[in-house]
């Protein structure tokens, strides 16, 4: 699978460590930055790049890392077609895909370390949406909300 990954200064070191692991799982990485540690950069810039890569079809899924994961999640969900969530446990990382068709995983590098990040990435990337009627019905309602309120 082609996976886009991005991070601001708060997530940059973790992103650099995580890239090789995701590749070792057999995925292709598209790194949209940051490409250097710059304390003055802003998470919305990298989040936008991750989100646009997913919605354009350049990548099937995205991973965005900032300090807490919260800002990245808030920003990513402003992009039509993105279903992002901050996840710091493996259940949420796979269940978000299986039940909610989550396509962007957000993580907080100040909250978790590399071992948990690896487990989260693996859970997120190995999960598939379960097309049961109840999950599809709920997803359709979310997509309707996006269509009506998404700007």
């Amino acid at each position: 699978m082609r996976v886009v990954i991005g991070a601001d200064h708060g997530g940059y070191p973790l992103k650099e460590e995580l890239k090789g692991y995701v590749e070792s799982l057999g995925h292709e990485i598209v790194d949209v930055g940051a490409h250097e540690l710059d304390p003055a950069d802003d998470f919305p810039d990298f989040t936008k790049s991750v989100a646009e890569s997913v919605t354009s079809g350049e990548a099937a899924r995205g991973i965005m890392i900032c300090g807490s994961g919260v800002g990245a999640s808030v920003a990513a969900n402003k992009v039509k077609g993105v279903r992002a969530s901050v996840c710091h446990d493996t259940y949420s990382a796979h269940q978000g895909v299986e039940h909610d068709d989550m396509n962007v995983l957000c993580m907080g590098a100040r909250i978790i370390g590399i071992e948990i990040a690896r487990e989260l990435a693996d859970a997120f990337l190995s999960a598939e949406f379960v097309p049961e009627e109840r999950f599809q019905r709920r997803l359709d309602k979310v997509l309707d909300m996006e269509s009506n309120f998404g700007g």
Side-chain angles (χ1 to χ4, degrees), residues 43-148:
F43 70 85
D45 300 323
F46 303 107
T47 304
K48 182 179 179 193
S49 295
V50 167
E52 288 176 338
S53 291
V54 171
T55 60
S56 73
E58 178 186 6
R61 302 238 178 108
I63 297 173
M64 180 61 203
I65 308 168
C66 65
S68 70
V70 174
S73 178
V74 169
N77 282 304
K78 299 299 182 191
V79 178
K80 187 174 185 172
V82 170
R83 289 169 302 283
S85 185
V86 58
C87 297
H88 291 142
D89 65 272
T90 57
Y91 177 79
S92 298
H94 72 80
Q95 187 268 344
V97 175
E98 294 165 353
H99 294 192
D100 306 308
D101 203 22
M102 179 175 70
N103 53 16
V104 175
L105 170 66
C106 300
M107 294 185 270
R110 294 182 182 132
I111 311 299
I112 61 168
I114 186 60
E115 293 304 324
I116 298 295
R118 287 176 179 157
E119 291 179 22
L120 293 170
D122 192 18
F124 170 65
L125 296 172
S126 64
E128 295 293 331
F129 179 67
V130 177
E132 290 181 15
E133 186 275 332
R134 64 187 171 133
F135 302 138
Q136 188 62 57
R137 180 183 70 242
R138 294 167 186 162
L139 177 59
D140 290 343
K141 290 179 180 184
V142 169
L143 296 174
D144 184 60
M145 289 173 65
E146 178 181 77
S147 158
N148 288 314

